[in-house]
Amino acid sequence: MTSDPPAHLPPEVLREWLQEVVSLLGVDQQIDPDRDIGAILDLTRHVSHTVVRPAGPLTMFALGLRLGANLGPGEAVGPALADLDPQIRDLATNQGRAMIEQWREQ
């Protein structure tokens, strides 16, 4: 019998998990776990709570595709993430909410 993992893990567990995933996927870009994990989780939370919960992971998937396509090997993820963050937040706040309201009215 397995038990569910705890809802909140220490940061070092998330850093280790990220390193494992990055290694598995062969990601060549430079990731700063101390800064980038927090930024990604915060943005995911914003989209999930502003639009609908499944929109958070879908947004991060699209963001990952964009970053992977536009950043070369060894380039830092943080600056590109910081540039896109306000645009994604604006989209979620303005258009995401409007899309949900429009859907509810149908």
Side-chain angles (χ1 to χ4, degrees), residues 55-96:
L58 291 174
T59 302
M60 293 305 103
F61 174 71
L63 177 62
L65 292 173
R66 164 77 186 266
L67 294 175
N70 291 343
L71 297 178
E75 282 190 73
V77 170
L81 179 59
D83 287 344
L84 294 170
D85 182 281
Q87 296 171 51
I88 293 170
R89 285 176 188 272
D90 184 59
L91 180 69
T93 301
N94 296 316
Q95 290 178 292

